[in-house]
Amino acid sequence: MSKPSIPKGTRDFGPKEMVKRNYIFDAISTVFQKYGYRSIETPAMEKTETLLGKYGEEGDRLIFKILKRGASLEKDLQKSKNGKKATYAEEALRYDLTVPFARYVVQNQNDISFPFKRYQIQPVWRADRPQKGRYREFYQCDVDVIGSNSLLNEVELVQIMDEVLGKLNINAKIKLNNRKILAGIAEVIGESDRMIDITVALDKFDKVGQVGVINELNEKGISSKAITKLEPIFDFAGTNEFKLEKLEVLIGTTDIGRKGIDEVQSILKNLIACNIKPDSIELDITLARGLNYYTGAIFEVVCDDFPSSICGGGRYDDLTGIFGLKDISGVGISFGADRIYDVMDDQNLFPQNIETILDVLFVNFGEKEALYCLGLLAQLRANEISSELYPDSAKMKKQMKYANEKGARKVVMVGETEIANGILTVKDMETGEQASLTIEQLIHSCVV
Amino acid sequence: MSKPSIPKGTRDFGPKEMVKRNYIFDAISTVFQKYGYRSIETPAMEKTETLLGKYGEEGDRLIFKILKRGASLEKDLQKSKNGKKATYAEEALRYDLTVPFARYVVQNQNDISFPFKRYQIQPVWRADRPQKGRYREFYQCDVDVIGSNSLLNEVELVQIMDEVLGKLNINAKIKLNNRKILAGIAEVIGESDRMIDITVALDKFDKVGQVGVINELNEKGISSKAITKLEPIFDFAGTNEFKLEKLEVLIGTTDIGRKGIDEVQSILKNLIACNIKPDSIELDITLARGLNYYTGAIFEVVCDDFPSSICGGGRYDDLTGIFGLKDISGVGISFGADRIYDVMDDQNLFPQNIETILDVLFVNFGEKEALYCLGLLAQLRANEISSELYPDSAKMKKQMKYANEKGARKVVMVGETEIANGILTVKDMETGEQASLTIEQLIHSCVV
């Protein structure tokens, strides 16, 4: 029999990875909660009609669908034999957390009190070609507020990004832009109706550079006159204030551009009131973000030496419109837990000893000694000290190897002598020192 | 456009449900960790060959399969048109956590140091007919130790059940039996080779009673002589010691029965050394458990007034054998989080105010006041106090309603006067009292 394996693009997470992953999830959700966001969860499966058509043609192809069963499947297969169209699926695995969230809001609109601040940390599935850092199952950590137009929400989300990065010790830059600024630019170059093409091309600036973007714009049929007018945006250097002044000149006369500039100014001003360091946020007018539903502020968090962004999002004015609930504005961001994990692992940012989660291991010297240790263990556990007794009276070497691999902080040996004297021989696994302690002393040394 | 909805048998969990669900998951995983178990996670999807044939014919039908895509699907549809057999799926959603765990152990056997103590809290999917309390997506919380024959593991799992129940304040009984006792019974009634039929029938005792079990045994062709011999086990009342004495007489002469009795005695004796109250565990020799892979101790936790068990498990001697790794014994239990939720909700066992997760809400009186509040908020959050500013300067009534619905503990009002005097008007939402506090006093009142 060949060794079993898992589907390509998926992963098992062992104990050491899980501790690190949970460290990230805990940090993120603690910050979300502190800012007044509350958790929801939606099912892994949505109805196919909820998901299809929401992510473009390419997206539709990447959605994992659930095979129909029994008579329902038979019927579809019969249809297909007769040359008719069949779907073979009524449910599909969620592709992101945004569309299920929009569906949730519309479905529960009468029970939700707006503004609704929710976060959601769950896996999503995409039948993408697996490659380094790209998986078919991965976690998203989304935080959104829906039902409020206030720019204070944007401010709060930047604070959240800043605080999560600080908490995880990640050195990264928060990039900010505004779709209205991009619309202003499209207007002054005379290509307002080509906003999407311009956005899609600009979105690749980080990867393909100025020449690449210009080539794509050419291919899309944007006039060379317009492209020439666009060029100043590629070397917009300097402070945020300086950039805003330049934008003022470039697009300050367009209504939409004016609005974009005002929004960015308001967000930056309010961020100063929140004690955010001014240089941790950068206005980047080439930041475009691929998704079409953004209408205002857009965000992205990028680390040095790491190719992809670890967080991104923005303001959307009509996300729930796809399910029939119009004119509800929202803004949100999504942290990519898997990418954050990779950055932190690469740069050694996890706390030392994070994998050590066992305080005390009792060596098993045999049935009588084990029975005696059970009572001691109960005392340790009553004090919330993680501890265990090796279940078999195996060779000492084997038991010590187990203690090592599990990262036990202390190993306790209780043989006949110890039982007679009511003391414990305790080895500190970090220093290697051995001491004779009472159970009270052991408890004290673990709790401190 | 009709309102969107979710697939039948699945559920959304809103903020209030999530707080309660997380309370259960936290309690359970904290206990698991304290006993030295470490978390792993496996992918939602497994290869179909990993899952099929592991849960019986009925189980196979209930597995959600993932529809193939593109050329691969076309090929299968073509096969079907030509009257050939096709599968339409290469992957499927996990049906439980046990088979993926066995697969994980076999796949990673060279990296695992045994005994391997793992826990796993993840959803599973079954295409069962949905009904009250039965869902198509639900969470299992599994804890297993694999690679050790020691009965100390059984003892530890009973301690875990006992501690989880205590922590969640659930009044329930831990039932214990042993497959070897059942085998001893089968032997003395002369039906050793019908062990599975007897187990399956006995497993329904709680639901169908003695008459129902006997009818099923009759139907299965167990001789009436054997059934008569079996009857004493239906009224095995009294203390665990008394039952063991009766078993001694009934099956003490069979090798396998003798072993079962010894195992139960050893487990009960060691539990006393762990300070477990003797009456919290009950030897129930009609306890059978449906699954065939159990070979030793079996457990179940039942609550009064609740039809299904909320936890169950047992010893299995060859689970990894299905993937080619022989002779690895393990023992484990699984908590049903959804059922525990139902019990706790029915019996009002969740802590009071569990839904209150916002410490402070700032009323928004306008742009200037909001800007001032941002600085105060930053101070609260620096002290890990969950707090938010209402994002819009809406009517007071609307903002207070929001504060109420969110369960905010305190509402802070900062208008012109407060800004001029450097104080805050703070309303305690529980008592309704209003006070004038400095920001330091507010922080102090939240932290205490």
Side-chain angles (χ1 to χ4, degrees):
Chain A
M1 194 184 295
S2 66
K3 251 201 200 178
S5 62
I6 49 178
K8 68 175 175 178
T10 69
R11 293 162 294 168
D12 284 322
F13 299 109
K16 292 185 178 180
E17 288 155 313
M18 280 306 295
V19 175
K20 291 183 188 169
R21 287 175 66 83
N22 284 335
Y23 177 79
I24 294 172
F25 292 132
D26 285 349
I28 290 176
S29 55
T30 303
V31 174
F32 290 170
Q33 283 170 27
K34 196 162 85 177
Y35 283 78
Y37 291 80
R38 303 200 293 174
S39 170
I40 72 160
E41 282 187 8
T42 62
M45 287 180 234
E46 295 278 350
K47 291 187 170 174
T48 47
E49 70 247 35
T50 299
L51 301 186
L52 291 178
K54 308 303 188 297
Y55 307 101
E57 242 176 80
E58 173 64 5
D60 278 359
R61 264 198 301 276
L62 300 184
I63 290 173
F64 282 107
K65 301 195 189 99
I66 307 289
L67 183 64
K68 284 186 183 177
R69 294 158 300 279
S72 184
L73 175 62
E74 286 311 320
K75 221 165 137 185
D76 266 21
L77 291 172
Q78 200 52 52
K79 269 192 197 170
S80 141
K81 274 183 197 163
N82 298 339
K84 286 189 198 145
K85 222 186 141 198
T87 58
Y88 316 108
E90 285 171 327
E91 300 112 7
L93 295 180
R94 64 173 165 253
Y95 177 90
D96 68 3
L97 302 178
T98 309
V99 169
F101 174 53
R103 191 267 310 145
Y104 176 90
V105 169
V106 177
Q107 194 177 334
N108 298 284
Q109 52 185 287
N110 298 327
D111 305 318
I112 292 174
S113 71
F114 294 97
F116 182 45
K117 297 170 78 171
R118 88 86 173 78
Y119 74 90
Q120 192 171 353
I121 299 181
Q122 291 192 280
V124 301
W125 295 270
R126 296 181 186 176
D128 235 325
R129 190 178 296 276
Q131 59 184 58
K132 190 180 173 334
R134 194 203 279 162
Y135 308 103
R136 292 188 153 190
E137 174 180 61
F138 58 97
Y139 267 76
Q140 291 190 331
C141 311
D142 277 25
V143 59
D144 292 79
V145 49
I146 194 160
S148 161
N149 298 307
S150 167
L151 291 173
L152 288 173
N153 299 303
E154 274 84 341
V155 172
E156 194 166 79
L157 292 174
V158 174
Q159 286 181 281
I160 287 175
M161 287 186 262
D162 187 63
E163 186 153 345
V164 166
L165 293 171
K167 206 164 175 146
L168 295 177
N169 224 353
I170 295 173
N171 194 0
K173 201 94 181 168
I174 301 168
K175 290 187 171 185
L176 169 72
N177 196 11
N178 196 299
R179 278 288 171 94
K180 297 188 176 98
I181 287 177
L182 293 175
I185 292 170
E187 189 176 326
V188 295
I189 66 171
E191 299 278 5
S192 277
D193 49 344
R194 307 298 298 278
M195 219 348 234
I196 291 174
D197 285 336
I198 295 172
T199 308
V200 170
L202 260 187
D203 190 41
K204 297 174 189 154
F205 179 59
D206 271 355
K207 279 173 196 136
V208 300
Q210 181 172 348
V211 177
V213 173
I214 289 174
N215 283 344
E216 175 159 341
L217 290 172
N218 259 321
E219 280 165 28
K220 288 268 167 69
I222 308 284
S223 73
S224 29
K225 200 173 135 208
I227 293 175
T228 310
K229 273 193 185 165
L230 189 67
E231 276 175 15
I233 75 161
F234 293 114
D235 35 36
F236 243 64
T239 62
N240 294 335
E241 291 69 33
F242 185 70
K243 287 178 187 169
L244 282 168
E245 279 168 30
K246 277 178 80 177
L247 273 179
E248 199 65 64
V249 178
L250 193 66
I251 59 166
T253 53
T254 66
D255 278 357
I256 188 93
R258 168 83 267 137
K259 236 181 145 195
I261 294 171
D262 288 348
E263 288 188 11
V264 170
Q265 269 168 335
S266 161
I267 294 168
L268 291 175
K269 185 185 76 184
N270 281 319
L271 281 170
I272 291 167
C274 303
N275 308 325
I276 298 277
K277 282 197 216 110
D279 65 344
S280 62
I281 179 150
E282 178 192 330
L283 172 61
D284 176 357
I285 59 163
T286 63
L287 176 65
R289 307 261 330 140
L291 294 163
N292 286 333
Y293 51 69
Y294 292 127
T295 50
I298 44 181
F299 310 103
E300 208 162 85
V301 176
V302 286
C303 302
D304 293 344
D305 311 321
F306 197 76
S308 334
S309 64
I310 57 172
C311 179
R315 164 74 64 177
Y316 41 84
D317 278 333
D318 194 28
L319 191 64
T320 56
I322 49 177
F323 298 116
L325 183 64
K326 296 278 177 204
D327 300 322
I328 305 279
S329 183
V331 56
I333 53 175
S334 179
F335 289 87
D338 297 272
R339 288 178 182 175
I340 290 176
Y341 184 101
D342 290 345
V343 169
M344 291 184 68
D345 218 34
D346 276 5
Q347 304 182 3
N348 265 316
L349 298 180
F350 288 106
Q352 271 204 313
N353 300 326
I354 190 174
E355 291 162 7
T356 309
I357 62 151
L358 186 67
D359 291 315
V360 177
L361 179 97
F362 282 80
V363 173
N364 188 328
F365 286 106
E367 207 174 323
K368 210 182 69 189
E369 290 85 354
L371 189 64
Y372 181 81
C373 288
L374 287 179
L376 301 174
L377 262 180
Q379 291 184 59
L380 290 179
R381 288 167 178 164
N383 284 282
E384 303 303 325
I385 296 164
S386 71
S387 44
E388 60 176 285
L389 165 65
Y390 194 88
D392 305 277
S393 58
K395 283 196 182 127
M396 188 66 177
K397 202 178 152 189
K398 191 175 173 195
Q399 297 194 43
M400 289 308 285
K401 187 170 166 245
Y402 175 85
N404 258 321
E405 276 170 4
K406 203 138 179 185
R409 292 195 182 91
K410 293 172 205 294
V411 169
V412 177
M413 283 154 285
V414 185
E416 256 180 58
T417 327
E418 280 87 355
I419 295 179
N421 300 332
I423 53 134
L424 320 167
T425 300
V426 179
K427 183 173 180 176
D428 184 305
M429 295 297 277
E430 211 179 315
T431 64
E433 279 168 28
Q434 239 168 255
S436 295
L437 302 181
T438 63
I439 179 71
E440 290 78 17
Q441 287 170 328
L442 174 62
I443 290 171
H444 185 75
S445 75
C446 291
V447 173
V448 181
Chain B
M1 194 185 294
S2 65
K3 252 201 198 179
S5 61
I6 49 178
K8 68 176 175 177
T10 69
R11 292 162 295 168
D12 284 322
F13 298 110
K16 293 187 178 180
E17 288 155 314
M18 280 306 295
V19 175
K20 291 183 186 170
R21 288 174 66 82
N22 285 335
Y23 177 80
I24 294 171
F25 292 132
D26 285 350
I28 291 176
S29 55
T30 303
V31 173
F32 289 169
Q33 284 170 28
K34 195 161 86 177
Y35 283 78
Y37 292 79
R38 302 201 293 173
S39 170
I40 72 160
E41 284 187 6
T42 63
M45 286 180 234
E46 294 278 348
K47 291 185 170 175
T48 47
E49 71 246 35
T50 300
L51 301 187
L52 292 177
K54 308 303 189 297
Y55 307 101
E57 242 175 79
E58 172 65 5
D60 277 0
R61 265 198 300 275
L62 300 184
I63 290 174
F64 282 107
K65 301 194 189 102
I66 307 289
L67 182 66
K68 285 185 184 176
R69 293 158 302 280
S72 184
L73 176 62
E74 286 311 320
K75 222 165 136 184
D76 265 22
L77 291 173
Q78 199 53 52
K79 269 192 196 170
S80 141
K81 274 181 195 161
N82 298 338
K84 285 187 201 148
K85 223 187 141 195
T87 59
Y88 315 109
E90 284 170 330
E91 300 112 7
L93 295 181
R94 65 174 164 253
Y95 176 90
D96 69 2
L97 302 177
T98 309
V99 169
F101 174 54
R103 191 267 309 145
Y104 176 90
V105 169
V106 177
Q107 193 177 333
N108 298 285
Q109 53 186 284
N110 298 327
D111 304 318
I112 293 174
S113 72
F114 294 98
F116 181 45
K117 296 169 80 170
R118 89 84 172 79
Y119 74 90
Q120 192 170 354
I121 299 181
Q122 290 192 281
V124 302
W125 295 269
R126 295 180 187 178
D128 235 327
R129 189 177 297 275
Q131 59 184 59
K132 191 182 172 335
R134 193 202 280 161
Y135 308 103
R136 292 188 152 191
E137 173 179 62
F138 58 97
Y139 267 75
Q140 291 191 330
C141 312
D142 277 25
V143 58
D144 291 80
V145 49
I146 194 160
S148 162
N149 298 306
S150 167
L151 292 173
L152 288 174
N153 300 303
E154 274 84 343
V155 172
E156 194 166 79
L157 291 175
V158 174
Q159 286 181 280
I160 286 175
M161 288 186 263
D162 187 62
E163 187 155 343
V164 167
L165 293 172
K167 207 165 175 147
L168 295 177
N169 223 351
I170 296 173
N171 194 1
K173 201 97 185 168
I174 302 167
K175 290 187 173 187
L176 169 73
N177 196 12
N178 197 299
R179 277 289 171 91
K180 296 186 177 102
I181 287 177
L182 294 175
I185 293 169
E187 189 175 328
V188 295
I189 67 171
E191 299 278 4
S192 278
D193 49 345
R194 307 299 298 277
M195 214 358 227
I196 290 175
D197 286 336
I198 295 171
T199 308
V200 169
L202 260 186
D203 190 42
K204 297 174 188 154
F205 179 59
D206 271 354
K207 279 172 197 138
V208 301
Q210 180 171 347
V211 177
V213 173
I214 288 175
N215 282 345
E216 174 159 343
L217 290 172
N218 259 320
E219 279 165 29
K220 289 266 165 68
I222 308 286
S223 74
S224 30
K225 199 174 137 205
I227 293 175
T228 310
K229 272 192 183 164
L230 189 68
E231 278 176 12
I233 75 161
F234 293 114
D235 34 37
F236 245 64
T239 62
N240 294 333
E241 291 69 34
F242 185 70
K243 287 177 187 169
L244 282 167
E245 279 168 30
K246 277 177 81 176
L247 274 178
E248 200 63 66
V249 179
L250 193 66
I251 59 167
T253 52
T254 65
D255 279 358
I256 188 94
R258 167 84 266 136
K259 237 181 143 195
I261 294 171
D262 288 348
E263 287 188 11
V264 170
Q265 271 168 335
S266 161
I267 294 168
L268 291 175
K269 183 185 78 185
N270 280 319
L271 281 170
I272 292 168
C274 303
N275 308 327
I276 297 277
K277 281 197 215 106
D279 65 345
S280 62
I281 179 150
E282 178 192 329
L283 173 60
D284 176 357
I285 61 165
T286 64
L287 176 66
R289 306 269 320 148
L291 294 162
N292 287 331
Y293 51 68
Y294 292 126
T295 50
I298 44 182
F299 309 104
E300 207 162 87
V301 177
V302 286
C303 302
D304 292 344
D305 312 318
F306 197 76
S308 334
S309 63
I310 57 172
C311 178
R315 165 74 64 178
Y316 42 84
D317 278 334
D318 194 26
L319 192 64
T320 55
I322 49 177
F323 299 114
L325 182 64
K326 298 277 177 206
D327 300 324
I328 305 280
S329 184
V331 55
I333 53 175
S334 179
F335 289 87
D338 297 272
R339 288 178 181 174
I340 290 176
Y341 184 102
D342 290 344
V343 169
M344 291 184 67
D345 218 33
D346 277 3
Q347 304 182 1
N348 265 317
L349 299 179
F350 288 106
Q352 271 204 313
N353 300 327
I354 190 174
E355 291 162 8
T356 309
I357 64 153
L358 186 66
D359 291 316
V360 178
L361 178 97
F362 282 79
V363 174
N364 188 329
F365 286 105
E367 208 174 322
K368 210 181 71 191
E369 291 85 355
L371 189 64
Y372 182 81
C373 288
L374 288 179
L376 301 173
L377 263 180
Q379 290 183 59
L380 290 180
R381 288 167 177 163
N383 285 282
E384 303 303 325
I385 296 163
S386 71
S387 43
E388 59 178 285
L389 165 65
Y390 194 88
D392 305 279
S393 58
K395 283 198 181 126
M396 189 66 178
K397 201 177 155 190
K398 192 175 175 195
Q399 297 194 45
M400 289 308 286
K401 188 171 166 242
Y402 176 85
N404 257 322
E405 275 171 5
K406 204 137 178 187
R409 291 194 183 90
K410 293 173 206 293
V411 169
V412 177
M413 281 154 286
V414 184
E416 257 180 57
T417 325
E418 281 87 355
I419 296 179
N421 301 332
I423 53 133
L424 319 168
T425 299
V426 179
K427 181 171 181 177
D428 185 303
M429 296 295 278
E430 212 178 315
T431 64
E433 278 168 29
Q434 238 168 256
S436 294
L437 302 181
T438 62
I439 180 71
E440 290 78 18
Q441 286 170 328
L442 174 62
I443 290 171
H444 185 75
S445 75
C446 291
V447 173
V448 181

